[in-house]
Amino acid sequence: MTQAPEIPEATRRRHDREIVALAVPAFGALVAEPLFVMADSAIVGHLGTAQLAGLGVASALLTTAVSVFVFLAYATTAAVARRVGAGDRPGAIRQGMDGIWLALLLGVVVIAVVLPLAPGIVDLFGASTTAAPYATTYLRISSLGIPAMLMVLAATGVLRGLQDTRTPLYVAVGGFIANAVLNVGLVYGAGLGIAGSAWGTVIAQCAMATVYLTVVVRGARRHGASLRPDAAGIRASAQAGVPLLVRTLSLRAILMIATAVAARLGDADIAAHQIILSLWSLLAFALDAIAIAGQAIIGRYLGAADTEGARAACRRMVQWGIATGVVLGLLVVAARPLFLPLFTSDPVVKDAALPALLMVALSQPVCGIVFVLDGVLMGAGDGPYLAWAMLVTLAVFVPAALLVPAFGGGLTALWAAMTLMMTVRMATLWWRSRSGRWLVTGATR
């Protein structure tokens, strides 16, 4: 970021209130999302090992498919926030509807692919002969809810852009409760087994999408915004999403490569890696909540042509990211004797995980900066740069990760490569933030 005078105390307090008001509910909604899979696992697990294994394969595939389209939330948040900042709320809702229509179209395409190819996809991911039928059943039924899942992503982006993160929190919590109740009723009450779990998830996701659509439609009617699909608007939403899709796929590739390398290190290392990765993902939720606040706030400032406000908000959010990262790192260090026994009693796995956990703890301030600046540049609509920056990061990480087993390194060395990856991301994002090239104002970028 370019040099600027110290932020006045009153301005700093205003930014703090905005960040907290947006980030805290966003964190709650983010944490609620993985609870869907956890509830399904807890309920299906009592049916048998094969059913739980099948659910594990199918849910991993669904989670990956949906996470690839997370750009529907990110791009929509930035576009809607810009319109809000420009004082064009009808245009903001219209922009959001374009994102929702795009989500529906993409969902239909995914269904058309998954339904006929489900058995082959399950086999490709190595499901056993006993688990494969259950995985195929769950995947086929659950795929019917993918349009609703993607519409939830886009509608969440609409509300975030409108500076509302409370409604997504309420919907996420309500969806989790409904999913749990439906799963119990359909799996055991109706005797549908794993199919009942899949149908429960589909119904819960459709209910969530219905609630979101109700909120958005009411807003559209109140402000006189059109609800009809607009081909040009849908194309614009897709074009804005492509760079973010490249970014997301690159990040997914990094995580997959890290897991593949850990698997080559041995059973104890891959077990420890999965434990650490689950913690790393949980920590990411806290940092991502600040990033979501950044998307909404920065987009609004740039839409209002307030570049100084955007700079000041960016600086304050970076301070929040660093402070949060320090706190999270200290918590990891303090809680490691309690955390590891929750997942394993194997002393070999614990020994492998402990030094790698310290590496994760040390990297949290870096992660805090990365997540915040990622959110800032998303809010600015700077997707093309984010895509190129992530491709550069991927190019640095791949050889670093592959050299770990080649030189006899262990899990700590692998997580040192992960820390290098985050450091490269921080460098590319910090350089961009200092350049000021992201400060493009107006209702559209």
Side-chain angles (χ1 to χ4, degrees), residues 15-307:
H15 287 319
D16 290 345
R17 287 194 298 270
E18 278 192 318
I19 293 168
V20 170
L22 291 170
V24 172
F27 174 70
L30 288 169
V31 170
E33 291 173 7
L35 294 179
F36 272 79
V37 176
M38 289 179 64
D40 288 0
S41 299
I43 294 166
V44 171
H46 293 286
L47 294 174
T49 302
Q51 288 91 331
L52 183 58
L55 172 66
V57 172
S59 62
L61 289 168
L62 283 167
T63 300
T64 300
V66 173
S67 66
V68 164
F69 295 109
V70 73
F71 70 84
L72 290 166
Y74 294 159
T76 304
T77 297
V80 171
R82 275 184 174 270
R83 295 275 187 176
V84 169
D88 183 13
R89 191 163 285 260
I93 297 174
R94 171 68 267 175
Q95 190 96 41
M97 284 304 305
D98 292 335
I100 292 173
W101 280 112
L102 175 62
L104 178 60
L105 293 174
L106 290 174
V108 171
V109 172
V110 173
I111 289 178
V113 172
V114 171
L115 279 180
L117 299 180
I121 296 172
V122 168
D123 289 341
L124 183 64
F125 276 75
S128 67
T129 54
T130 54
Y134 296 111
T136 300
T137 296
Y138 190 93
L139 183 59
R140 275 182 164 157
I141 296 173
S142 294
S143 69
L144 299 176
I146 286 180
M149 294 179 192
L150 300 188
M151 290 170 72
V152 164
L153 283 177
T156 300
V158 176
L159 295 182
R160 288 173 181 171
L162 294 172
Q163 317 296 296
D164 175 12
T165 57
R166 289 183 178 272
T167 299
L169 171 61
Y170 300 147
V171 175
V173 171
F176 166 71
I177 295 172
N179 179 66
V181 172
L182 286 165
N183 268 257
V184 171
L186 294 174
V187 171
Y188 297 109
L192 296 179
I194 195 169
S197 177
W199 280 117
T201 300
V202 169
I203 294 169
Q205 291 288 347
C206 289
M208 291 171 65
T210 300
V211 172
Y212 274 121
L213 287 175
T214 300
V215 173
V216 174
V217 168
R218 284 178 179 173
R221 288 175 176 170
R222 185 162 56 249
H223 294 284
S226 173
L227 297 172
R228 295 179 178 178
D230 176 66
I234 293 171
R235 279 197 305 271
S237 295
Q239 289 169 356
V242 168
L244 296 181
L245 175 62
V246 172
R247 167 200 168 275
T248 301
L249 290 174
S250 299
L251 181 57
R252 296 296 302 184
I254 287 170
L255 297 178
M256 290 174 64
I257 290 168
T259 299
V261 170
R264 293 179 61 186
L265 299 177
D267 289 346
D269 285 305
I270 185 61
H273 176 74
Q274 288 304 112
I275 294 171
I276 295 169
L277 190 60
S278 67
L279 175 63
W280 193 76
S281 299
L282 179 62
L283 298 174
F285 284 138
L287 298 174
D288 203 25
I290 305 174
I292 288 169
Q295 294 170 30
I297 293 170
I298 295 298
R300 192 188 73 231
Y301 273 117
L302 294 179
D306 184 358
T307 57

Side-chain angles (χ1 to χ4, degrees), residues 365-390:
V366 173
C367 294
I369 297 172
V370 168
F371 275 81
V372 167
L373 292 180
D374 206 38
V376 165
L377 297 184
M378 282 185 191
D382 205 10
Y385 180 82
L386 290 173
W388 282 110
M390 188 57 79

